Amino acid sequence: MASIHSRNTKPEMIVRRYLWHAGFRYRINLKRLPGHPDVVLRKYRTCIFINGCFWHGHECDDFRRPHTNVSFWNNKILRNKQRDIEVQQRLAIMGWHCIVIWECELKSSIKEQTLKSLAYTLNHIYLKDHSFSYTKLEEETDNSFAADSNLCPTKNLEE
């Protein structure tokens, strides 16, 4: 397991290349945030976690539990899932959005769709966080200002 790296994996590089070419600027593995997210977009207050299906227990076709040392692997994968939930809750409390991209979503058949939906989601988050909402002013039902003869100088001159 020493040769298994947690940074600069192939799925991470696919997502990072797409984000960079699409004009999104980011930081990688920011240590100040809980969980050290794989990609951090500060402008969008968004953290992107790119999870491997095996290590994080994604229930997809690519996930297969090992047949040896079953209790160890079940406990390890369960701890990883619990830690993922805790980290995302802590980030949400801090005001960050979390996006999880699974390794199986970056297969060549659906990779383009996944990356386009990521860009759409980031733009939607940005617009939602930076939009202004204007409150409607109540229209006055009493139009006394226009009809008040004391305020209208032309009516006073005619009388």
Side-chain angles (χ1 to χ4, degrees), residues 7-8 31 50 96 102 147 151 153:
R7 294 187 185 146
N8 299 328
K31 297 196 181 350
I50 301 149
W96 288 84
W102 293 98
L151 297 176

Side-chain angles (χ1 to χ4, degrees), residues 7-8 18 53 61 65 72-73 76 78 88 103 111 126 133-134 139-140 144-146 150 155:
R7 294 187 185 146
N8 299 328
Y18 176 81
C53 295
D61 296 336
R65 290 193 188 275
F72 167 78
W73 285 109
K76 179 164 186 59
L78 183 64
Q88 288 178 15
E103 182 180 15
K111 175 174 59 174
Y126 181 80
S133 61
Y134 297 101
E139 292 185 12
E140 293 186 5
S144 62
F145 294 115
N150 294 333
K155 281 195 172 189

Side-chain angles (χ1 to χ4, degrees), residues 129-158:
D129 287 350
H130 292 87
S131 64
F132 294 102
S133 61
Y134 297 101
T135 56
K136 276 191 168 181
L137 296 174
E138 294 181 27
E139 292 185 12
E140 293 186 5
T141 56
D142 182 22
N143 292 332
S144 62
F145 294 115
D148 193 1
S149 62
N150 294 333
L151 297 176
C152 186
T154 56
K155 281 195 172 189
N156 289 338
L157 294 175
E158 292 174 4

Side-chain angles (χ1 to χ4, degrees), residues 29-95:
N29 303 108
L30 199 64
K31 297 196 181 350
R32 288 188 229 164
L33 293 175
H36 308 293
D38 298 319
V39 177
V40 177
L41 296 112
R42 291 179 59 197
K43 177 180 177 180
Y44 302 87
R45 280 195 76 73
T46 302
C47 299
I48 301 174
F49 293 94
I50 301 149
N51 291 345
C53 295
F54 174 76
W55 296 105
H56 296 271
H58 187 225
E59 297 298 329
C60 65
D61 296 336
D62 293 343
F63 177 68
R64 290 178 185 78
R65 290 193 188 275
H67 297 294
T68 58
N69 207 359
V70 176
S71 63
F72 167 78
W73 285 109
N74 286 341
N75 290 335
K76 179 164 186 59
I77 291 169
L78 183 64
R79 281 194 319 265
N80 287 350
K81 284 181 170 183
Q82 290 171 345
R83 185 175 53 247
D84 291 343
I85 292 169
E86 290 171 11
V87 165
Q88 288 178 15
Q89 288 174 346
R90 287 173 52 197
L91 286 167
I93 289 170
M94 295 169 66

